[in-house]
Amino acid sequence: MNEHPVSSYYCRLTKQSGLIILLLMLITTFQGCGSKEKGEIAPDPEPPAPQPVAPQDEIFYILSAEHSVEFSEFVNGSARRNLSEEDIKDHFGNRVNYFQPDSLRIKQDSLFVYKPFGPEHAYQMKWEDNQLLVRPDQNSEWISWAERAPDSTIHLTITYFKKNVKNLERSYLTGGQQYGLLDPQDLQQRDEDNDSRLIWLVRNAVFTRIKK
C-alpha cells in the first residue's frame, strides 16, 4: 500500500524541524558557555610578600697580615741590639705560632678568638669609638684589646717576652705573652747585683672582615 504524499511530506517536515530545533539548542548552549568564559576576568596574581631581612648579629674576621713592630734585646735595663725575624724561632720556639689567633668572631657583645693550635677563647666586649675593649668575666675591668682601622680591619698587638736574671745566689728564667702593648720598662731589672737579659717582641696582626 503506497504512502500518501501529504503524510510523507509532513513527516519529513517534522523530522527536519526536530533537527533544526536540536541544532539551535546546541548552538545556544555553546554560545552561553563561551560568553560566560569571556565574561570572567582572572584576578592578577598577588606579588610575593617581601622576605624579612635578618639582622647580621655575627661578624667574622680572618687573619690577613702580621709583622713585627719591635724585636729587641735589653741587657741590665738598657737596649743592646735589634733582632731579626730569623731570631724569633731561637728565642720563642713555636710560641708565636700557637698564641697568634687566625680568626675572630663577634656576636652581639661577645668576642670569640680562634687559634690554629690552641683552644677557643671568649670575652665580653664593647666598642668605644674604634677601640675594642674586652673583659674575661663580669668582675674584670675593661681593657683595650684591639683597634679598628678606617678600612674596618682590626689591628691586634701581641707582646712576647723572655727574661733571664742571674745573681750570686740564683738564676731564673721567665717568659710570657699578652694581648696589647706592654711597657718593657715594667720588666727591666736594674739591681746592680743582678745580671738581667730581656728579649722583647711586639707583633701586629691584621684581621679582615669576611662574608659568611
Side-chain angles (χ1 to χ4, degrees):
M1 185 174 184
N2 296 331
E3 185 179 358
H4 195 279
V6 177
S7 300
S8 177
Y9 171 76
Y10 281 110
C11 183
R12 288 197 301 272
L13 181 60
T14 304
K15 291 181 179 180
Q16 291 176 357
S17 300
L19 290 174
I20 292 173
I21 293 172
L22 180 60
L23 289 173
L24 289 174
M25 291 176 62
L26 291 175
I27 292 172
T28 304
T29 302
F30 285 122
Q31 287 180 346
C33 293
S35 60
K36 182 179 180 182
E37 292 176 356
K38 292 180 181 179
E40 292 181 354
I41 300 176
D44 294 334
E46 295 183 0
Q51 297 296 324
V53 179
Q56 186 177 5
D57 60 351
E58 286 187 307
I59 305 176
F60 296 86
Y61 296 84
I62 190 169
L63 179 66
S64 57
E66 56 179 327
H67 65 278
S68 294
V69 178
E70 182 182 359
F71 192 16
S72 303
E73 178 187 25
F74 295 83
V75 177
N76 294 333
S78 300
R80 171 66 62 86
R81 64 189 175 114
N82 294 325
L83 303 175
S84 63
E85 293 287 318
E86 290 75 16
D87 298 321
I88 293 179
K89 186 79 172 180
D90 295 335
H91 292 290
F92 296 105
N94 292 319
R95 194 193 311 175
V96 174
N97 294 332
Y98 278 88
F99 193 75
Q100 170 64 62
D102 63 353
S103 59
L104 309 174
R105 177 167 65 99
I106 294 177
K107 183 176 182 180
Q108 297 176 352
D109 62 347
S110 298
L111 169 67
F112 300 89
V113 181
Y114 302 96
K115 303 175 183 179
F117 306 106
E120 168 191 335
H121 295 280
Y123 305 94
Q124 186 181 5
M125 61 148 290
K126 67 177 181 178
W127 290 103
E128 285 189 359
D129 295 329
N130 288 317
Q131 292 294 320
L132 194 161
L133 306 181
V134 303
R135 60 178 181 180
D137 53 64
Q138 295 290 337
N139 298 323
S140 303
E141 295 183 357
W142 290 101
I143 59 174
S144 178
W145 193 83
E147 184 177 359
R148 181 170 53 193
D151 61 356
S152 297
T153 57
I154 291 179
H155 292 245
L156 171 65
T157 300
I158 305 176
T159 302
Y160 305 86
F161 63 90
K162 182 177 70 172
K163 180 180 177 182
N164 188 11
V165 178
K166 296 180 181 180
N167 55 35
L168 295 177
E169 298 179 355
R170 62 190 178 93
S171 64
Y172 64 90
L173 176 66
T174 60
Q177 58 278 324
Q178 178 177 316
Y179 296 120
L181 180 62
L182 297 175
D183 186 351
Q185 299 301 321
D186 295 338
L187 299 174
Q188 297 297 345
Q189 184 73 35
R190 298 186 180 278
D191 190 340
E192 295 180 357
D193 294 333
N194 292 325
D195 181 16
S196 67
R197 182 182 183 221
L198 174 67
I199 304 299
W200 180 259
L201 172 62
V202 179
R203 291 182 64 82
N204 180 262
V206 181
F207 295 87
T208 302
R209 182 174 176 175
I210 61 174
K211 295 182 178 180
K212 282 282 187 176

